[in-house]
Amino acid sequence: MSYNPYSLEGKTVFVTGASSGIGRSTAIECSKLGAKLIITGRNIERLQQTFERLEGEGHILVAGDLISKDDINSIIKQLSPLDGVVCNAGIPNTLPIQFIKDDVIQEVFGSNLISPIIITKELIKKKLLKSGSSIIFTSSIGHYRPTSGNSLYGTTKAAIEYFSKYVAKEMASKKIRCNSVHPGMVETPLIHRGNFTEAQLEEDAKRYPLKRFGRPEEIAWAIIYLLSDASSWVTGHSLVIDGGMTMR
Ligand code: NAP
């Protein structure tokens, strides 16, 4: 076996939002580095497609809607002790504040903030996080420069960034690390579901110093760094991966 501090050999990693985009890429790339995956998402067909692309043996697929407490509980029941958790599932939302309705608040907060908090709490309570394990939350760069219409999304992403630091602080004595990743715009189905035309997206990509949006695997590789022993002294950190967009 050649030297590789980024190896995930022997690690079991739980990834939410693995039926699409960044979560799918994260699961696939983790499997290439030797991890055993437990993947979840709502759409069973797309989750199955991810599952079929995983390398190696012993992976588990379990579908569920993380807005439902019952679904979270039944997913958690199927977990074995974990070396890594990637709370990545999330939905976008673009609405001026005056048009926000209660059910949208529940949906966006439920998917992006409340479910990762409940999952983390349950994993800690049920002692499903091994000593030396690593938790990663997918946040965003959106809330670093607030734009009109993004209040709900940006608020959930700011909150999950800070929740990550509290987890890092509380769990450090157990040698459990926690960090967040902050992608700029990444080529996934999510960005094509928003209010932007394809022409507007093309224009937006030119604003990035590297003149393009990210690819899902470029976020997966950052997540792999945080899951692996290569980041064993990194906790409570917010890792920006954005083609230079927010550099000062
Ligand atoms: P995506 O392709 O739309 O994938 C989102 C994933 O989250 C899907 O697997 C989806 O499941 C899952 N999901 C959403 N709500 C869920 C719920 N209530 N229960 C269970 N699963 C749920 O989007 P993506 O771009 O990969 O986004 C992944 C994460 O990155 C999100 O948290 C997003 O906010 C964040 N992010 C994305 C970008 C970007 O530009 N793409 C930038 C910054 C941050 P189903 O498809 O099966 O319903």
Side-chain angles (χ1 to χ4, degrees):
M1 187 69 195
S2 58
Y3 173 69
N4 180 6
Y6 302 88
S7 167
L8 300 179
E9 218 47 73
K11 294 190 192 288
T12 302
V13 178
F14 173 51
V15 181
T16 76
S19 49
S20 181
I22 293 169
R24 168 178 281 175
S25 237
T26 299
I28 294 169
E29 295 301 304
C30 283
S31 74
K32 290 180 187 168
L33 283 157
K36 298 243 173 304
L37 275 304
I38 302 160
I39 59 169
T40 188
R42 285 179 299 201
N43 183 297
I44 184 79
E45 272 173 36
R46 284 189 281 100
L47 191 61
Q48 186 70 43
Q49 288 164 8
T50 304
F51 192 77
E52 282 158 15
R53 290 174 61 186
L54 298 179
E55 291 190 10
E57 305 285 309
H59 309 297
I60 295 171
L61 160 160
V62 43
D65 186 339
L66 299 177
I67 287 183
S68 150
K69 188 80 203 293
D70 288 345
D71 281 13
I72 292 183
N73 285 337
S74 71
I75 292 166
I76 286 182
K77 272 197 191 123
Q78 301 187 51
L79 299 177
S80 48
L82 300 168
D83 302 280
V85 180
V86 186
C87 282
N88 160 82
I91 54 168
N93 180 267
T94 317
L95 267 184
I97 292 164
Q98 62 177 324
F99 297 121
I100 294 174
K101 299 211 168 70
D102 291 359
D103 57 338
V104 179
I105 302 176
Q106 302 299 334
E107 192 190 3
V108 178
F109 272 65
S111 301
N112 296 3
L113 178 62
I114 297 171
S115 73
I117 293 176
I118 293 176
I119 288 169
T120 307
K121 176 200 74 155
E122 290 295 327
L123 293 178
I124 293 170
K125 213 166 136 183
K126 296 193 161 58
K127 301 195 186 315
L128 283 166
L129 297 170
K130 290 189 199 164
S131 178
S133 62
S134 167
I135 307 169
I136 292 115
F137 295 108
T138 310
S139 179
S140 170
I141 57 167
H143 59 285
Y144 292 161
R145 290 179 187 165
T147 49
S148 294
N150 277 319
S151 61
L152 280 188
Y153 183 76
T155 300
T156 60
K157 293 300 184 184
I160 203 66
E161 174 177 14
Y162 274 81
F163 180 66
S164 149
K165 296 180 194 299
Y166 286 101
V167 176
K169 197 70 155 178
E170 275 190 38
M171 300 312 291
S173 61
K174 306 257 182 234
K175 310 275 181 280
I176 295 169
R177 299 182 294 110
C178 185
N179 295 285
S180 53
V181 290
H182 299 258
M185 289 282 271
V186 179
E187 275 298 348
T188 72
L190 178 145
I191 65 169
H192 300 284
R193 277 201 301 271
N195 294 347
F196 301 106
T197 63
E198 292 305 309
Q200 283 171 323
L201 288 173
E202 253 176 57
E203 271 314 297
D204 191 40
K206 290 183 195 151
R207 294 170 48 236
Y208 282 71
L210 290 178
K211 301 291 172 210
R212 63 172 176 85
F213 289 159
R215 297 188 295 268
E217 60 273 22
E218 291 173 317
I219 311 306
W221 295 330
I223 291 173
I224 284 168
Y225 163 66
L226 293 171
L227 285 170
S228 73
D229 296 344
S231 62
S232 51
W233 209 43
V234 179
T235 196
H237 184 62
S238 306
L239 179 53
V240 170
I241 313 111
D242 70 349
M245 183 53 133
T246 57
M247 80 171 109
R248 284 184 267 181

